[in-house]
């Protein structure tokens, strides 16, 4: 089954479905938990405390510079577990395919998932496939769930945040947002920006082992500022960041200036916000920068005692302004 | 980024703030007439950095804010009545509320509404879809109008038959005159819009200095530009002068861009236009000339730009007073509760350029 | 009403040009500005060059402003 298109019959549970599962999914996701092809995957309990997450991926286009919807789904699942201090172990992957998708494209996405999972030591142990009529799904949707184990002694979360803690970002912001915008034809600018889509489990593990990490979160849609707002709300504290400390790639800055976007509100898919105890901030930064995914890490601000639940930005003039969550999609403007 | 970074230099900003402090004896109400200036002032927290003797007022410089509600309703009605037509619009307009809906909501309900960054992109859509009617919802002041004029000329040259423009363009000097004539606000000086003036030339404001005794400084958009312009205005006021100065000299001249002005004049002619909050201002809008009538959406589809002298009745929404600079957003009873960027009651809040949106985003930390 | 960015002209082809800033290239229309050469800087708004930047004057403005910095020190 090397070429052709996906038909409704591929999702109907009969011969074609089975061939699809064998030739595409099983071939890529080789592991003993999946091979029996039971309705469920059975595995021994990996530890006392488990972390469990779920997500759906509907990105359009499904292929973009630096990644694809498959890689995104595996990284996203891994990252949601990793920022909770968990070691990601097992994943499910459910596919909703629009009739007419090229088999070759599906195979490419699935291979990308397998490759990413293998590199991260994660196994895709169970899944599902449905096919819907043309127009009922935007080419391909993927839903995942992921299970990880939290090692003894690791306890992270917004409830541990305190005024004085440092706010650290693992690298440049807005890369994914710009790369996808370009592929979507939203902008006709000629710019070389790849998505930062990446699994952050090793980076998370490296910083957690310093012993100074209070909380972590990966900023995705809505950008850095939206995720900082979530941390501020969950912790009940305020967060103050310095605009000039936030790392932005030159190209991303250029696109944003031309179209009137704010990079702090653009999507990321391979970055981490880390809240670290004041005394350990430099150690955490050092640990981050040792990892290739954290080489551009910066301390961008601190947790503060006032303005509970709010995010404040300090401008180059030293004045401060409140930064709300993103309300609605950012659009190119002339004004 | 060259010619941006130098004008955001921190040392320069702080030095200019020190120079401005030397004019502590000058009480001044300074109005900026450009949404992009409102944005810069707020983004860099300039208002908060200036001392109390200087009051910065945001005037009606945002095409989204001043576009009449009837003009928003008109395009929404058109989109509802013809779902096969393509409406191309700048991103700025997509969430502006009409009486009942927004273009964004209409898109969700099936209308073909597309955001473009340039009028030429709308022209490309027309070329690629010859069987569809493509209407460009055209807002903006004198910076944008020449680009639309050039696009219409291009459409004629390429013999494109399915492209029309609904012109809601507005002109800056008539609005400034209307503000000065209304007597509602005491403005001591104006920060004039840098890119509008790059087109029309700074001499367009000479009547303001001559007939009203108000100093004007044409300003760029970076924080150094804005602060330098404020310094120049304060210096004039201190010396009792009233003249037109150009801070943004690297781009702006007294005569402006002759070629752009000619292209604009070839396609458009002035007409009266109704502005939200200011009512009818004679000669403040642009209409497509008869020579280009085939590209005029008003001719093609019978939609009409608002030119009545309707002024919104007094009510809780104080957008009109905010636009005229009579009150700050803080003085509007609806500001921040219940009027927010998620649930805007009027255009001043919905546009990212709107005075209230800028205040909401940037000014509330103090 | 005036979002416009300084960009450098790197290619010209009739009424079109390619301009660049911060490693981003943009294809724009230059029919509103006369006598453009490669290497010039222009203000770009809505896909058009609306005016050329006078670099000599830009330098003078920056020198004026740096005068304030010296005064303050």
């Amino acid at each position: 089954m090397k070429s052709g298109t996906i038909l409704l019959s591929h999702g109907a549970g009969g011969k074609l479905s089975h061939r699809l599962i064998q030739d595409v999914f099983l071939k890529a996701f080789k592991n003993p938990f999946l091979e029996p092809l039971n309705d469920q995957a059975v595995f021994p309990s990996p530890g006392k405390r488990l972390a469990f997450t779920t997500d759906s991926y509907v990105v359009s286009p499904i292929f973009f510079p630096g990644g694809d919807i498959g890689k995104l789904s595996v990284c996203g699942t891994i990252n949601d577990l990793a920022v909770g201090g968990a070691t990601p172990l097992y994943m499910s992957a459910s596919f909703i395919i629009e009739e007419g998708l090229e088999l070759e494209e599906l195979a490419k996405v699935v291979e990308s998932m397998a490759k990413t999972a293998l590199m991260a030591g994660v196994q895709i142990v169970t899944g599902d496939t449905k096919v819907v009529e043309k127009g009922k799904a935007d080419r391909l949707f993927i839903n995942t769930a992921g299970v990880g184990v939290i090692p003894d002694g690791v306890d992270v979360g917004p409830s541990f945040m305190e005024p004085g803690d440092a706010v650290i970002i693992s690298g440049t912001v807005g890369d994914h947002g710009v790369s996808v915008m370009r592929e979507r034809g939203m902008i006709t600018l000629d710019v070389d920006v790849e998505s930062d889509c990446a699994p952050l489990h090793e980076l998370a593990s490296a910083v957690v082992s310093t012993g100074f990490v209070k909380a972590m979160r990966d900023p995705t849609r809505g950008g850095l500022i939206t995720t900082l707002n979530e941390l501020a709300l969950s912790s009940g504290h305020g967060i103050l960041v310095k605009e000039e400390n936030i790392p932005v790639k030159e190209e991303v800055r250029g696109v944003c200036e031309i179209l009137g976007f704010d990079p702090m509100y653009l999507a990321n898919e391979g970055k981490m916000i880390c809240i670290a105890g004041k005394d350990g901030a430099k150690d955490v930064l050092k640990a981050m920068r040792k990892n290739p995914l954290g080489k551009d890490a910066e301390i961008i601000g601190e947790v503060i005692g006032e303005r509970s639940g709010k995010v404040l930005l300090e401008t180059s003039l030293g004045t401060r302004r409140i930064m709300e969550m993103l309300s609605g999609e950012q659009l190119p403007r002339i004004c | 980024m060259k010619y941006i970074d130098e004008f955001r230099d921190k040392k320069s900003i702080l030095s200019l703030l020190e120079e401005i402090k030397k004019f502590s004896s000058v009480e001044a109400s300074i109005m900026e007439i450009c949404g992009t200036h409102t944005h810069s002032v707020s983004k860099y927290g300039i208002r908060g950095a200036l001392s109390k003797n200087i009051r910065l007022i945001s005037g009606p410089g945002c095409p989204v804010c001043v576009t009449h509600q009837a003009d928003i309703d008109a395009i929404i009605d058109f989109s509802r009545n013809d779902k096969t037509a393509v409406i191309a619009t700048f991103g700025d307009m997509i969430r502006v509320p009409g009486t009942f809906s927004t273009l964004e909501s209409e898109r969700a309900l099936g209308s073909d509404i597309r955001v473009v960054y340039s009028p030429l992109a709308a022209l490309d859509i027309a070329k690629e879809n010859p069987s569809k009617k493509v209407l460009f919802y055209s807002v903006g002041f004198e910076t944008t109008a020449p680009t639309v004029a050039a696009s219409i000329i291009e459409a004629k040259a390429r013999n494109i038959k399915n492209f029309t423009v609904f012109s809601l363009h507005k002109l800056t000097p008539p609005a400034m005159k209307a503000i000065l004539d209304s007597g509602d606000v005491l403005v001591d000086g104006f920060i004039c819009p840098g890119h509008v003036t790059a087109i029309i030339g700074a001499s367009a404001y000479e009547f303001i200095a001559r007939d009203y005794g108000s100093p004007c400084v044409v300003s760029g958009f970076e924080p150094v530009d804005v602060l330098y312009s404020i310094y120049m205005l304060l210096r004039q006021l201190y010396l009792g002068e009233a003249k037109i100065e150009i801070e943004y000299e690297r781009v702006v001249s007294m005569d402006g861009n002759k070629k752009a002005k000619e292209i604009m004049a070839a396609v458009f002619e002035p007409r009266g236009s109704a502005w939200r909050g200011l009512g009818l201002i004679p000669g403040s809008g642009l209409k497509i000339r008869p020579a280009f009538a085939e590209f005029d959406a008003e001719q093609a589809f019978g939609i009409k730009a608002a030119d009545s002298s309707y002024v919104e009745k007094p009510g809780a929404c104080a957008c009109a007073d905010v636009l005229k600079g009579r009150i700050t957003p803080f003085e509007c009873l609806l500001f921040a509760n219940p009027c927010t960027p998620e649930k805007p009651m009027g255009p001043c809040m919905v546009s990212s350029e709107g005075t209230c949106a800028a205040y909401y985003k940037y000014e509330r930390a103090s | 009403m005036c979002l416009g960015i300084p960009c450098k002209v790197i290619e010209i082809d009739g009424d079109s040009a390619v301009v660049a800033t911060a490693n981003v290239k943009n294809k724009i229309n230059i029919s509103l500005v006369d006598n453009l050469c490669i290497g010039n800087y222009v203000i770009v708004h809505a896909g058009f060059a609306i005016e050329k930047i006078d670099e000599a004057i830009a330098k003078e403005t920056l020198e004026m402003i740096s005068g304030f910095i010296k005064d303050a020190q």
Side-chain angles (χ1 to χ4, degrees):
Chain A
M1 197 187 232
K2 288 201 165 81
S3 65
T5 55
I6 301 290
L7 309 166
L8 285 174
S9 317
H10 283 112
K15 260 201 205 141
L16 272 181
S17 292
H18 277 276
R19 277 193 63 195
L20 186 69
I21 292 168
Q22 291 283 350
D23 295 351
V24 176
F25 298 110
L26 202 53
K27 183 163 167 226
F29 302 149
K30 300 187 260 285
N31 66 73
F33 303 102
L34 182 62
E35 268 144 21
L37 286 180
N38 290 331
D39 286 340
Q40 72 294 127
V42 179
F43 49 83
S45 175
K48 270 212 302 256
R49 283 181 309 156
L50 301 179
F52 182 49
T53 186
T54 185
D55 245 308
S56 294
Y57 298 89
V58 299
V59 69
S60 174
I62 59 175
F63 296 102
F64 44 84
D68 57 77
I69 189 174
K71 183 180 176 189
L72 200 66
S73 70
V74 174
C75 291
T77 312
I78 288 171
N79 295 347
D80 279 349
L81 292 170
V83 295
T87 306
L89 293 171
Y90 308 113
M91 260 182 67
S92 69
S94 293
F95 299 83
I96 297 176
I97 311 170
E98 186 190 15
E99 173 189 25
L101 182 73
E102 292 295 322
L103 192 61
E104 204 181 313
E105 288 180 301
L106 178 66
K108 250 173 108 177
V109 166
V110 169
E111 272 151 31
S112 174
M113 290 174 77
K115 187 168 158 211
T116 312
L118 184 68
M119 267 175 21
V122 167
Q123 292 174 299
I124 299 169
V125 299
T126 189
D128 183 63
T129 310
K130 295 282 184 302
V131 182
V132 295
E133 284 158 25
K134 199 134 188 71
K136 299 281 165 106
D138 190 3
R139 309 202 69 213
L140 179 62
F141 295 155
I142 302 178
N143 169 271
T144 64
V147 168
V149 64
I150 302 177
D152 287 335
V154 172
D155 236 325
V156 292
S159 56
F160 296 106
M161 286 164 58
E162 292 175 298
D165 287 343
V167 178
I168 306 174
I169 183 71
S170 63
T172 56
V173 299
D175 302 359
H176 180 79
V178 168
S179 78
V180 177
M181 223 189 277
R182 187 141 200 283
E183 287 310 301
R184 238 184 247 162
M186 256 185 86
I187 59 176
T188 52
L189 304 174
D190 186 359
V191 63
D192 206 358
V193 174
E194 282 198 352
S195 167
D196 59 347
C197 181
L200 298 170
H201 57 296
E202 276 176 6
L203 189 67
S205 172
V207 296
V208 164
S209 45
T210 65
F212 292 112
V213 169
K214 306 277 191 87
M216 297 178 285
R217 197 159 282 197
D218 61 326
T220 53
R221 296 165 308 159
L224 169 73
I225 297 294
T226 301
T227 307
L228 286 174
N229 269 282
E230 287 167 6
L231 282 168
L233 282 168
S234 302
S235 67
H237 297 301
I239 293 180
L240 173 68
V241 290
K242 268 193 160 170
E243 187 164 14
E244 54 196 19
N245 291 357
I246 297 172
V248 180
K249 279 198 162 84
E250 193 62 6
E251 294 85 350
V252 170
R253 199 180 146 216
V255 170
C256 289
E257 292 285 350
I258 292 170
L259 297 178
F261 288 126
D262 190 334
M264 296 186 281
Y265 284 102
L266 288 179
N268 310 276
E269 288 294 343
K271 295 292 173 341
M272 185 164 78
I273 298 168
C274 187
I275 312 290
K278 188 162 60 174
D279 297 331
K282 291 240 160 75
D283 290 339
V284 172
L285 186 68
K286 206 165 151 200
M288 259 200 193
R289 284 181 173 167
K290 272 209 190 115
N291 186 302
L293 293 175
K295 63 176 166 56
D296 297 323
E298 294 288 348
I299 298 174
I300 58 171
E302 60 176 325
V303 178
I304 56 178
E306 346 122 38
R307 296 284 184 165
S308 156
K310 298 278 179 206
V311 176
L312 296 180
L313 189 78
E314 190 176 288
T315 70
S316 45
L317 270 85
T319 49
R320 294 177 178 187
R321 51 190 233 242
I322 294 181
M323 301 296 281
E324 304 279 324
M325 283 196 183
L326 186 64
S327 67
E329 202 191 341
Q330 279 195 94
L331 293 164
R333 52 191 180 93
I334 51 138
C335 183
Chain B
M1 289 177 74
K2 197 163 183 201
Y3 298 125
I4 287 195
D5 292 338
E6 307 91 319
F7 293 93
R8 290 183 186 176
D9 171 61
K10 194 166 178 171
K11 272 211 195 99
S12 306
I13 290 172
L14 295 173
S15 303
L16 280 164
L17 282 169
E18 285 305 308
E19 288 300 314
I20 287 170
K21 281 204 180 94
K22 293 179 183 168
F23 291 109
S24 56
S25 62
V26 180
E27 293 280 332
S29 290
I30 296 173
M31 179 179 274
E32 21 104 354
I33 311 262
C34 178
T36 317
H37 274 143
T38 315
H39 191 100
S40 292
V41 164
S42 292
K43 183 178 161 154
Y44 292 94
I46 289 174
R47 194 175 266 103
L50 296 172
S51 43
K52 300 296 164 204
N53 58 308
I54 304 165
R55 189 181 152 219
L56 282 185
I57 304 169
S58 292
C62 166
V64 169
C65 296
V66 301
T67 300
H68 201 276
Q69 191 165 344
D71 289 331
I72 298 169
D73 290 341
I75 191 62
I76 286 175
D77 282 341
F78 174 78
S79 78
R80 282 184 178 176
N81 293 331
D82 190 346
K83 301 248 177 182
T84 64
V86 178
I87 293 163
T89 173
F90 292 127
D92 314 59
M93 297 305 292
I94 202 111
R95 278 179 213 118
V96 180
T99 314
F100 301 112
S101 185
T102 66
L103 285 169
E104 185 180 46
S105 301
E106 296 305 307
R107 185 173 60 187
L109 293 171
S111 294
D112 192 349
I113 294 164
R114 306 187 200 184
V115 170
V116 294
Y117 158 68
S118 168
L120 289 175
L123 193 56
D124 284 339
I125 294 173
K127 189 161 167 276
E128 285 152 21
N129 299 273
S131 60
K132 291 191 181 218
K133 295 175 228 151
V134 176
L135 186 153
F136 180 58
Y137 191 58
S138 202
V139 298
F141 289 76
E142 295 96 324
T143 322
T144 317
T147 72
V148 178
S151 303
I152 289 174
I153 290 171
E154 174 86 3
K156 196 168 179 121
R158 281 154 69 176
N159 205 24
I160 292 173
K161 296 291 177 196
N162 57 329
F163 176 72
T164 59
V165 171
F166 183 23
S167 170
L168 297 169
H169 291 289
K170 301 225 173 345
L171 301 173
T172 308
M176 295 168 79
K177 185 171 191 303
I179 288 168
L180 288 162
D181 285 340
S182 77
D184 272 356
V185 160
L186 291 171
V187 178
D188 297 309
F190 289 96
I191 295 174
C192 298
H195 293 144
V196 162
T197 318
I199 303 291
I200 66 176
S203 55
Y205 308 116
E206 271 165 353
F207 75 95
I208 294 176
R210 184 190 62 224
D211 303 336
Y212 298 89
S214 277
C216 295
V217 174
V218 183
S219 177
F221 300 94
E222 301 309 326
V224 166
D225 289 312
V226 175
L227 288 172
Y228 193 19
S229 301
I230 292 172
Y231 168 84
M232 288 164 82
L233 274 169
L234 291 172
R235 184 174 60 189
Q236 284 199 47
L237 289 167
Y238 182 76
L239 295 170
E241 289 173 349
K243 56 187 184 186
I244 313 300
E245 285 187 276
I246 304 173
E247 179 279 331
Y248 201 23
E249 265 191 303
R250 59 197 187 270
V251 172
V252 177
S253 63
M254 287 307 279
D255 293 332
N257 180 335
K258 190 161 168 264
K259 194 172 183 202
K261 279 198 284 189
E262 280 169 1
I263 288 172
M264 193 164 73
V267 175
F268 291 112
E269 58 190 358
R271 64 167 161 191
S273 178
W275 295 48
R276 177 179 272 274
L278 299 177
L280 177 70
I281 302 178
S284 68
L286 287 178
K287 179 181 182 338
I288 295 174
R289 286 185 189 275
F292 296 92
E294 66 197 278
F295 302 104
D296 189 347
E298 290 177 71
Q299 305 264 353
F301 306 118
I303 30 180
K304 210 168 168 332
D307 61 4
S308 68
S309 51
Y310 173 79
V311 175
E312 279 72 72
K313 302 185 195 50
C317 174
C319 271
D321 286 332
V322 173
L323 281 169
K324 281 200 245 188
R326 284 190 68 204
I327 62 170
T328 69
F330 290 125
E331 294 161 77
C332 170
L333 294 171
L334 305 181
F335 177 71
N337 180 18
C339 186
T340 65
E342 288 81 41
K343 287 206 147 32
M345 317 275 305
C348 291
M349 185 61 89
V350 74
S351 163
S352 65
E353 281 325 294
T355 301
C356 295
Y359 266 69
Y360 189 88
K361 263 204 298 188
Y362 303 133
E363 303 293 343
R364 289 184 310 141
S366 45
Chain C
M1 69 174 87
C2 301
L3 189 64
I5 300 299
C7 295
K8 186 176 185 181
V9 179
I10 59 177
E11 272 172 48
I12 296 179
D13 180 14
D15 268 345
S16 291
V18 176
V19 298
T21 184
N23 297 330
V24 180
K25 289 193 200 150
N26 193 1
K27 186 162 176 222
I28 62 164
N29 183 299
I30 55 171
S31 62
L32 299 175
V33 183
D34 274 333
N35 303 321
L36 279 180
C37 303
I38 290 179
N40 285 160
Y41 280 82
V42 289
I43 297 291
V44 176
H45 169 82
F48 281 79
I50 59 161
E51 191 48 282
K52 186 161 62 175
I53 297 178
D54 187 322
E55 298 196 67
I57 293 182
K59 197 166 165 219
E60 277 172 28
T61 307
L62 288 168
E63 271 163 16
M64 218 23 178
I65 289 163
S66 65
F68 290 127
I69 301 176
K70 291 198 190 78
D71 285 348
Q73 278 165 1

